[in-house]
Amino acid sequence: MSNHKVADLKLAEQGRLKIEWAESRMPVLMTLRERARTEQPLKGMRIAGCLHVTKETAVLVRTLRAAGAEVSWSGCNPLSTNDEVAAALAAEGTSIYAWHGLSVEEFYWCIEKTLEFKPTLTLDDGADLIFTVHSKHPELQGGIIGGTEETTTGVQRLRAMAKDGKLKYPVYAVNDSETKWDFDNVYGTGQSSIDGIVRATSVLLAGKTFVVGGYGHCGRGVASRAAGMGANVVCTEIKPTAALKAVLEGYRVMPMDEAAKIGDIFITATGVRDILVGRHFERMKDGAIICNTGHYDVEINIGDLEKLAKGKREIRPSNEEYTMKDGRRIYLLAQGRLVNLAAAEGHPSEVMDMSFANQFLALCRLAKDGKKLDKKVYELPPEQDQELAGIKLRTMGMAIDALTEEQKKYLSSWEEGT
Ligand code: RBV
């Protein structure tokens, strides 16, 4: 039995079934696992991970262990741990400190526990683990070869650290790989956010005015899926090119001050704080539903909402009804935390397959050559994207064409014109 603190070990069997289901949908990672069983690319590595404890993450953890690594894990959000999966991982010998609904102090306690075995590699989703190493554990930095980062918000934080000369070891920005952010952030966030909203509310999306704050990769995915369900999509932006993309996709664009008056459902996907604040809540219609799919719970200013409300109650799981002083009701989902992970199960396995294959290969690269890297944020090589997408297509039973010699020559010459 491992070192662990989880909600209830008796849930392990249900967790195992969930993981088995995910494994059946993650052929790329499973292919890499089979290869790694013999090659043992992570032999001798101690990996501390801080990433949502989901069935997909469990497939990654099993793969890291099959590749020879010792692993110690915590969740990267107080509401995203699946207790059944956590129990299954603990029961099969993974050190894991994670349960659903932990407090902020417990959150950092869990991270601290994963550092006890003095990791050689770190894996983050949101940079909380690496930040803890940097701010509280300088003594561990020398032993750490490198780290990886899963998400946009974390990469942003790490680039800021590197710019200030504060980053103490190299990090791969897994998020920035084409096979991650053009798929996970778009189709993963798109489907799982709708899934979270529907599980928490069970409302009809058709005919609703659906306001998406931020038209980046995540906002684009959510907008397209909401439109596909028949909602009228409105986007808010601060970046002209992003706003223009939303307009040409067929959505209305306006400032949040205007959108606040007409929206039925609001979702923030910006990575920035204070997207929905007091003056927006004051304008919203009775019955408005608000939620967030960005990494941190700062996009909806819940303090403002609390101040304006005269009362609140949980009307359904992951759904709190706030009654305003004038009697209007506003429904906050998942306490303003990532609605896709807190009210549903996170992104579907098929898309996490590629994200986590990138994670796995990034860690293998660090284990092999990390000592030669500078203390910078690195991107993974684009050839890795082509390799992973190629495996994915093959496992989906699809083939593609290849350039002929004449075509290659044509592409590399500058002399041929009209
Ligand atoms: N994410 N993981 C899952 N099912 O395990 N779902 C979403 C899962 C990750 C996703 O890669 C995104 O970058 C990050 O969560 C945001 O915290």
Side-chain angles (χ1 to χ4, degrees), residues 249-285:
E249 206 52 57
Y251 309 130
R252 278 181 293 166
V253 168
M254 62 185 77
M256 189 61 91
D257 283 355
E258 296 303 312
K261 293 185 230 162
I262 60 170
D264 297 303
I265 301 172
F266 296 80
I267 182 164
T268 54
T270 66
V272 180
R273 58 180 301 160
D274 296 332
I275 302 305
L276 288 175
V277 296
R279 68 174 191 281
H280 301 127
F281 306 136
E282 279 168 352
R283 286 167 202 212
M284 282 179 188
K285 297 196 286 193

Side-chain angles (χ1 to χ4, degrees), residues 360-379:
F360 177 71
L361 292 178
L363 290 164
C364 292
R365 273 175 203 281
L366 287 169
K368 188 160 173 269
D369 288 325
K371 291 198 176 113
K372 295 183 207 148
L373 298 177
D374 296 325
K375 295 166 183 171
K376 288 196 326 206
V377 177
Y378 285 87
E379 281 168 27

Side-chain angles (χ1 to χ4, degrees), residues 282-296:
E282 279 168 352
R283 286 167 202 212
M284 282 179 188
K285 297 196 286 193
D286 179 34
I289 293 165
I290 59 177
C291 63
N292 163 55
T293 196
H295 185 80
Y296 285 113

Side-chain angles (χ1 to χ4, degrees), residues 337-370:
R337 296 198 183 271
L338 304 135
V339 70
N340 58 336
L341 280 138
E345 291 176 62
H347 299 358
S349 309
E350 290 86 342
V351 82
M352 295 314 296
D353 189 19
M354 289 194 292
S355 307
F356 288 163
N358 275 298
Q359 278 288 359
F360 177 71
L361 292 178
L363 290 164
C364 292
R365 273 175 203 281
L366 287 169
K368 188 160 173 269
D369 288 325

Side-chain angles (χ1 to χ4, degrees), residues 147-162:
T148 62
E149 171 52 56
E150 170 79 4
T151 205
T152 317
T153 298
V155 170
Q156 213 168 299
R157 282 179 91 184
L158 291 166
R159 289 224 161 92
M161 272 172 86

Side-chain angles (χ1 to χ4, degrees), residues 125-326:
D125 181 335
D128 287 321
L129 167 64
I130 191 168
F131 191 72
T132 304
V133 170
H134 279 67
S135 56
K136 300 216 185 86
H137 293 284
E139 78 284 0
L140 295 178
Q141 289 160 9
I144 299 179
I145 302 167
T148 62
E149 171 52 56
E150 170 79 4
T151 205
T152 317
T153 298
V155 170
Q156 213 168 299
R157 282 179 91 184
L158 291 166
R159 289 224 161 92
M161 272 172 86
K163 193 160 159 263
D164 285 350
K166 295 278 162 34
L167 192 62
K168 299 291 184 206
Y169 55 84
V171 179
Y172 273 119
V174 171
N175 178 73
D176 295 3
S177 289
E178 191 181 357
T179 42
K180 201 283 183 180
W181 80 350
D182 268 353
F183 297 89
D184 169 315
N185 303 28
V186 183
Y187 307 100
T189 311
Q191 181 168 324
S192 62
S193 302
I194 300 289
D195 187 7
I197 292 169
V198 170
R199 289 195 206 195
T201 65
S202 123
V203 295
L204 181 72
L205 293 179
K208 291 285 192 302
T209 298
F210 192 102
V211 180
V212 181
Y215 197 71
H217 282 68
C218 295
R220 172 153 66 89
V222 177
S224 103
R225 270 42 192 160
M229 299 284 280
N232 297 306
V233 175
V234 171
C235 297
T236 72
E237 251 302 335
I238 44 108
K239 191 175 174 188
T241 48
L244 200 53
K245 285 178 190 168
V247 172
L248 267 61
E249 206 52 57
Y251 309 130
R252 278 181 293 166
V253 168
M254 62 185 77
M256 189 61 91
D257 283 355
E258 296 303 312
K261 293 185 230 162
I262 60 170
D264 297 303
I265 301 172
F266 296 80
I267 182 164
T268 54
T270 66
V272 180
R273 58 180 301 160
D274 296 332
I275 302 305
L276 288 175
V277 296
R279 68 174 191 281
H280 301 127
F281 306 136
E282 279 168 352
R283 286 167 202 212
M284 282 179 188
K285 297 196 286 193
D286 179 34
I289 293 165
I290 59 177
C291 63
N292 163 55
T293 196
H295 185 80
Y296 285 113
D297 62 340
V298 296
E299 306 202 19
I300 299 176
N301 191 318
I302 298 171
D304 282 2
L305 186 61
E306 297 268 349
K307 262 185 243 149
L308 289 168
K310 65 176 182 197
K312 69 169 174 179
R313 61 174 174 161
E314 188 179 61
I315 190 147
R316 293 165 56 88
S318 304
N319 185 339
E320 273 171 305
E321 178 189 69
Y322 282 81
T323 304
M324 303 292 109
K325 289 176 185 136
D326 60 6

